[in-house]
């Protein structure tokens, strides 16, 4: 077995129990390499932004015109979103628990049919 195959096996084994925070540890390095014009890092970030934008568009189509991004890459991914999606992004007015409590207290809101 070559060194490369051993590395691949180790990555696959690691991924079987990895949590989102485990993957998130690579985020700063990916942004750093993207700003250094690394094509793979730029591609990863653009795909991430495209995936986020898909959700943003779905929320906007349901009436949301102010959307807050949360999580470790929220601020850094903004520049990778299209200008159309950027206009919906607002600063958080609380944390995730505040939002959950607010939604729980509203019998009907525009996120579900």
């Amino acid at each position: 077995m070559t060194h490369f195959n051993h590395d691949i096996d180790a990555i696959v084994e690691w991924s079987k129990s990895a949590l989102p925070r485990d993957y998130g540890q690579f985020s700063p390095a990916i942004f750093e390499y993207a700003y250094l014009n690394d094509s793979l890092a730029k591609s990863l970030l653009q795909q991430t932004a495209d995936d986020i934008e898909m959700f943003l568009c779905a929320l906007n189509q349901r009436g949301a015109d102010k959307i807050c991004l949360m999580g470790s890459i929220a601020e850094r991914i903004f520049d990778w979103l299209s200008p159309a999606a950027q206009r919906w992004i607002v600063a958080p007015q609380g944390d995730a628990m505040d939002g959950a409590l607010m939604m729980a207290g509203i019998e009907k809101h525009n996120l579900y049919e």
Side-chain angles (χ1 to χ4, degrees):
M1 179 183 285
T2 67
H3 182 64
F4 178 77
N5 287 338
H6 177 70
D7 289 345
I8 294 296
D9 292 340
I11 291 169
V12 170
E13 195 58 38
W14 173 85
S15 72
K16 291 177 182 177
S17 62
L19 300 172
R21 69 173 179 253
D22 298 323
Y23 288 98
Q25 70 182 328
F26 301 112
S27 175
I30 294 170
F31 278 96
E32 184 178 326
Y33 279 103
Y35 288 117
L36 294 172
N37 210 27
D38 180 84
S39 61
L40 178 57
K42 288 170 63 174
S43 176
L44 287 169
L45 289 181
Q46 191 57 61
Q47 182 60 54
T48 300
D50 293 346
D51 291 346
I52 291 170
E53 195 158 327
M54 177 183 63
F55 290 108
L56 295 173
C57 288
L59 289 169
N60 180 260
Q61 289 172 355
R62 292 186 176 264
D65 62 352
K66 295 178 183 173
I67 305 168
C68 173
L69 295 177
M70 298 181 74
S72 63
I73 67 166
E75 291 179 16
R76 289 183 260 164
I77 202 68
F78 180 85
D79 292 339
W80 294 86
L81 300 171
S82 72
Q86 288 177 351
R87 72 173 185 253
W88 301 320
I89 306 301
V90 297
Q93 296 180 352
D95 61 16
M97 186 60 74
D98 293 324
L101 291 171
M102 181 188 73
M103 289 178 64
I106 299 173
E107 199 169 305
K108 180 166 173 59
H109 47 74
N110 67 356
L111 296 181
Y112 305 111
E113 303 208 22

